[in-house]
Amino acid sequence: DMAVMRTSLCPGLLESARRNLSRGNGDAALFEVGRAFFHEQGRLVERERLAGLVTGERHSRAWHTPSRGVDFFDLKGDLEQLLSSFGCSNVVFDAGGPDFLHPGQKAVFRLLEKDRPLGWIGMLHPDHQGLLDLSQAVFMFELEMDGLDSHVSGGEQGGQPFSRFPALERDFEI
């Protein structure tokens, strides 16, 4: 699996989604931050990337609402919210994206003032979905973090540091 350096974070996310689906975990929202490697002008370039994947139901069935599967626009809204948290409210989506995405549900996105794309978003093509043995639609995005560095003022984000003692959901103490 790891014979070459990766050019995308998505294969790892797709493998995690496949494992979750094969174990009956139909609703998944996964992300990964890591480095990807590219050849540019005869040299190897390393870039920080962020990728995300969603599949399954957006909302579970309840007494007042029917269940609804996740779609392209759910992930697009999540991505816009994520970029907004980085201070990027001027994001433009254009047609395009990698060939492994569904032709009618894919886009590249960029900041309004820049010509170079920040990343892409879309639904995995049904042919690839079948090859990977995924039983339901998968929606993904990947963005280049280096493209955001110059946009975030001073590189500092507001907020509070994480607690050294995170909350527990289950306590196995006897």
Side-chain angles (χ1 to χ4, degrees):
D1 281 351
M2 301 293 194
V4 295
M5 289 190 270
R6 62 186 178 182
T7 58
S8 175
L9 304 180
C10 287
L13 287 177
L14 287 167
E15 177 59 24
S16 294
R18 188 191 65 72
R19 263 190 256 123
N20 273 286
L21 290 172
S22 72
R23 288 170 175 79
N25 235 355
D27 303 332
L30 309 169
F31 76 96
E32 181 178 355
V33 177
R35 298 192 182 279
F37 302 87
F38 305 93
H39 282 285
E40 286 183 2
Q41 301 170 352
R43 51 187 271 263
L44 191 63
V45 177
E46 184 178 351
R47 292 210 175 105
E48 190 79 19
R49 304 196 54 100
L50 167 66
L53 174 148
V54 292
T55 187
E57 292 185 2
R58 180 65 171 196
H59 301 291
S60 297
R61 186 174 162 266
W63 66 271
H64 55 78
T65 56
S67 63
R68 180 176 77 75
V70 71
D71 64 16
F72 176 84
F73 297 104
D74 290 325
L75 184 59
K76 182 176 179 262
D78 292 343
L79 179 62
E80 287 174 327
Q81 185 67 37
L82 173 70
L83 291 170
S84 175
S85 72
F86 282 108
C88 304
S89 58
N90 50 355
V91 179
V92 177
F93 290 84
D94 299 315
D99 292 336
F100 59 84
L101 297 177
H102 189 289
Q105 295 193 39
K106 66 180 180 178
V108 293
F109 54 92
R110 62 183 170 81
L111 297 177
L112 185 60
E113 63 272 3
K114 295 193 178 186
D115 290 334
R116 201 182 90 175
L118 270 177
W120 53 263
I121 182 174
M123 180 177 121
L124 183 65
H125 195 288
D127 292 344
H128 294 287
Q129 181 182 324
L131 288 172
L132 295 171
D133 201 25
L134 297 167
S135 57
Q136 58 196 37
V138 174
F139 298 88
M140 307 181 289
F141 75 88
E142 188 165 356
L143 72 92
E144 189 173 307
M145 297 295 287
D146 297 337
L148 294 177
D149 288 346
S150 61
H151 191 74
V152 176
S153 59
E156 294 182 24
Q157 293 291 316
Q160 299 175 359
F162 291 111
S163 169
R164 287 184 34 202
F165 306 103
L168 292 175
E169 290 185 23
R170 293 182 182 162
D171 188 357
F172 292 104
E173 185 178 321
I174 298 176

